[in-house]
Amino acid sequence: KQEVTQIPAALSVPEGENLVLNCSFTDSAIYNLQWFRQDPGKGLTSLLLIQSSQREQTSGRLNASLDKSSGRSTLYIAASQPGDSATYLCAVRSDRGSTLGRLYFGRGTQLTVWP
Amino acid sequence: NAGVTQTPKFQVLKTGQSMTLQCAQDMNHEYMSWYRQDPGMGLRLIHYSVGAGITDQGEVPNGYNVSRSTTEDFPLRLLSAAPSQTSVYFCASSRGVGNTEAFFGQGTRLTVV
């Protein structure tokens, strides 16, 4: 069964720091990996989607990389701001026959950026 | 520009009551799914559908029913609510089962007392 792990579970940093959030998965049979942001009491907002054939994807201050063979992804946040405070979730979409199309989630990294 | 819409946003039920959580999407997506989110755990798949008239079970289906009579709607039914079903429920949709992006609703926070 696919297992997704996110490290660290929580991170607290001063404004302006560059950050790295890690996501690992055990089964490389994936279509893609998606990073989400979740604010307290809210839904999931998609940040970046990396296809299994891609190495990285960028959106503004966010850059996500994917190493499918080693089962790892990182989300890099440049010049962090207090507004980046949220929980960040990664999810992989299965390419394996018995679980085709299913999303598997990590438990998230809770990020706090203080002024 | 509605995307995925869930109703209600909040609900309190008594043990044994039944209810339906509504989910609708306006993107003509074939793949829809329901997840529950509990503290300290990742989102877990309850049921999913790959198209109208086709549904299947996910990881934690017990106590829940689904049906998919139209492409747009995918309601989740709690048959006889239990305190263990206290959770936040999310509905998601995507264009298909392959290399597609998932879109989520805002969630329904359910408390069973």
Side-chain angles (χ1 to χ4, degrees):
Chain A
K1 181 193 167 189
Q2 178 75 269
E3 300 284 346
V4 181
T5 303
Q6 291 188 244
I7 294 173
L11 189 59
S12 180
V13 299
E15 182 177 10
E17 285 209 354
N18 300 323
L19 309 172
V20 175
L21 280 57
N22 297 292
C23 173
S24 62
F25 48 95
T26 56
D27 185 352
S28 61
I30 63 169
Y31 279 117
N32 57 46
L33 183 146
Q34 200 166 349
W35 282 95
F36 295 91
R37 169 186 173 136
Q38 185 177 28
D39 293 288
K42 303 294 186 183
L44 280 67
T45 300
S46 180
L47 296 173
L48 289 166
L49 180 143
I50 312 179
Q51 299 176 24
S52 62
S53 58
Q54 294 179 314
R55 297 287 292 183
E56 67 177 62
Q57 195 69 253
T58 298
S59 176
R61 294 183 294 107
L62 304 180
N63 175 277
S65 67
L66 175 64
D67 185 340
K68 180 183 168 183
S69 60
S70 68
R72 294 178 183 178
S73 176
T74 60
L75 179 66
Y76 178 82
I77 303 176
S80 58
Q81 303 170 357
D84 294 330
S85 298
T87 297
Y88 291 80
L89 299 168
C90 75
V92 295
R93 186 180 289 274
S94 174
D95 186 13
R96 190 169 291 284
S98 58
T99 58
L100 200 69
R102 292 191 187 186
L103 286 175
Y104 292 89
F105 283 84
R107 297 183 182 184
T109 294
Q110 186 173 351
L111 173 65
T112 303
V113 182
W114 39 277
Chain B
N1 202 19
V4 180
T5 303
Q6 289 183 237
T7 56
K9 288 186 170 53
F10 302 93
Q11 184 71 48
V12 178
L13 286 180
K14 293 182 179 178
T15 297
Q17 285 185 318
S18 63
M19 79 160 293
T20 300
L21 279 64
Q22 302 291 345
C23 176
Q25 51 89 12
D26 62 359
M27 297 173 282
N28 201 31
H29 285 171
E30 291 296 325
Y31 190 86
M32 296 186 73
S33 50
W34 278 100
Y35 295 83
R36 61 178 288 173
Q37 185 177 38
D38 300 294
M41 305 188 72
L43 277 77
R44 292 181 293 169
L45 180 65
I46 304 172
H47 284 286
Y48 65 97
S49 169
V50 297
I54 307 169
T55 63
D56 207 345
Q57 297 180 350
E59 292 178 74
V60 288
N62 292 341
Y64 308 95
N65 268 359
V66 292
S67 60
R68 184 101 178 265
S69 56
T70 67
T71 299
E72 295 77 20
D73 300 299
F74 190 44
L76 178 72
R77 296 182 186 86
L78 279 70
L79 308 173
S80 177
S84 61
Q85 294 180 303
T86 293
S87 187
V88 181
Y89 292 85
F90 288 101
C91 178
S93 75
S94 56
R95 190 162 38 85
V97 300
N99 187 18
T100 60
E101 185 176 8
F103 296 86
F104 280 76
Q106 290 301 298
T108 295
R109 185 174 296 272
L110 176 68
T111 302
V112 183
V113 297

